[in-house]
Amino acid sequence: MRRVSVVGGSCSGKTTFARDLAEILRVSFIELDALNWQANWTMTDIETFQADVRKATSGDGWVVDGNYGGRGARDIVWSRADTVVWLDLSLPLTLMRMWRRTTGRIKRRVPLWGGNRETIRNTFLSRESLFVWAVKTHWRRRRILRAAMARPDLAHLRFHRLRSPAEVRRWLDAQR
């Protein structure tokens, strides 16, 4: 296991897990959000984004955090990966984590990718709210990832579907 894609819903713990796994494996950590988001919540143009993903995954060892199937990153990453770890936590748990994480970031004015910050308006009052996004994509992502595990063209990948925080901790501990 040297090239790992960590996927899952918003606030499933992908970033923390991927950072920890990259440290354990002594490989690069790649955060797709950092490649995608520019100032003022503007997305990097798709050609640049895909080129950046290709460049970041050109080495022989890395852990990538993020989904971005609609922007073509998943196809690039999975064609180069040997392992996919799917953090498949329940929607209520991820929404609770999202509430805690987001309200904390708002209070502390934590800068994110591209210098962006979460605000009450863009988090709770916008049609593009992260909470709305999480609910809208949860079940669809599950269908897509379940189907991917059975696809013959992805038979080169070892899939690990982790469904609880305890299972996530045990799996990560086993890699140490």
Side-chain angles (χ1 to χ4, degrees), residues 11 94-112 117-125 129-131:
C11 289
T94 58
L95 291 175
M96 181 188 67
R97 286 178 169 187
M98 185 177 296
W99 174 263
R100 249 185 298 161
R101 181 188 79 179
T102 305
T103 56
R105 284 178 177 172
I106 291 169
K107 286 177 189 173
R108 293 187 312 278
R109 299 191 42 78
V110 175
L112 300 172
R117 286 191 166 81
E118 291 172 310
T119 64
I120 291 173
R121 168 171 265 160
N122 70 22
T123 302
F124 301 107
L125 305 177
S129 160
L130 186 56
F131 287 87

Side-chain angles (χ1 to χ4, degrees), residues 19-36:
R19 268 198 194 108
D20 290 349
L21 184 58
E23 186 177 308
I24 291 165
L25 298 177
R26 293 189 172 104
V27 298
S28 300
F29 165 69
I30 302 160
E31 186 177 16
L32 294 181
D33 281 331
L35 299 178
N36 184 64

